Amino acid sequence: MELIKLKGLTPLSAGALQFVYQHPTEPDYLIKILRLDRMRKRWARKSRGLPIRRRFGLYNALVRELKTYIELRSRSPDGEGPEFLQRHHGLVDTDLGMGLLVGKVKDRAGGLAPTLADDVRQRGFTGQLREQFAELQAKIEALNLVTSDINANNILVGWSEQQ
């Protein structure tokens, strides 16, 4: 498989530890790239100068995300996982390092779904959004899912025919 070229492209989103890029040739896919510079700084701060040895090194966060995805899919009777789960499609090589290929969560118009924070800024925390959020909370609790960084910037308000 060819190396996917992302250098020079503007990320759609920049989180604390990841950039999210639109796949350059596949409109329904995104690529998550770890911000290795920030990961190195975080590790240096946590280790107080001592070397930290982890099996997957700086990619530990990526491995944890994949493990959680597989765990949630395996808990589901149909093997598909909960409907709110963003689909993962594997690892890809890019000119910015290893990336995680994920399905694009879309809004009603087919564009990139807004984060919960952006949706609340635009429309306010409406009754409908409040209900959807409560439903999501209940589903997460029912799955006994432990989350490490759930916040309004990491939740997408997506739309599809089924939901």
Side-chain angles (χ1 to χ4, degrees):
M1 189 175 271
E2 272 187 54
L3 186 74
I4 299 171
K5 294 180 179 18
L6 299 176
K7 279 185 184 168
L9 299 179
T10 304
L12 297 176
S13 175
L17 300 176
Q18 291 182 347
F19 286 118
V20 178
Y21 288 89
Q22 173 64 56
H23 190 290
T25 59
E26 300 291 336
D28 291 335
Y29 295 102
L30 304 175
I31 301 173
K32 293 182 177 183
I33 301 288
L34 291 178
R35 297 179 72 169
L36 295 177
D37 58 327
R38 288 205 174 173
M39 299 291 283
R40 286 185 186 96
K41 285 180 187 175
R42 177 183 261 196
W43 274 35
R45 198 172 53 246
K46 284 184 175 182
S47 68
R48 295 181 186 92
L50 300 173
I52 295 178
R53 288 190 167 82
R54 291 191 178 149
R55 184 173 180 188
F56 300 104
L58 295 175
Y59 288 99
N60 209 44
L62 185 64
V63 171
R64 194 171 44 246
E65 183 172 345
L66 284 168
K67 283 173 128 178
T68 301
Y69 177 75
I70 293 166
E71 179 184 358
L72 287 174
R73 295 244 351 218
S74 71
R75 289 183 190 179
S76 171
D78 61 4
E80 292 296 315
E83 72 277 358
F84 64 81
L85 186 62
Q86 182 181 36
R87 298 294 174 227
H88 290 50
H89 299 280
L91 299 171
V92 293
D93 288 320
T94 79
D95 59 355
L96 297 177
M98 183 169 32
L100 179 60
L101 185 67
V102 297
K104 185 176 188 178
V105 179
K106 299 177 181 179
D107 63 12
R108 190 177 286 271
L112 185 64
T115 65
L116 178 60
D118 288 339
D119 204 47
V120 167
R121 273 192 287 277
Q122 264 187 349
R123 300 184 307 142
F125 200 41
T126 64
Q128 179 188 15
L129 196 53
R130 194 178 304 270
E131 275 180 39
Q132 290 171 326
F133 184 71
E135 190 178 309
L136 175 63
Q137 279 183 301
K139 288 176 181 179
I140 289 172
E141 289 173 13
L143 287 168
N144 200 23
L145 178 61
V146 177
T147 61
S148 62
D149 191 21
I150 193 165
N151 64 66
N153 288 310
N154 289 341
I155 298 172
L156 299 175
V157 182
W159 182 88
S160 71
E161 289 289 334
Q162 299 81 21
Q163 31 178 336

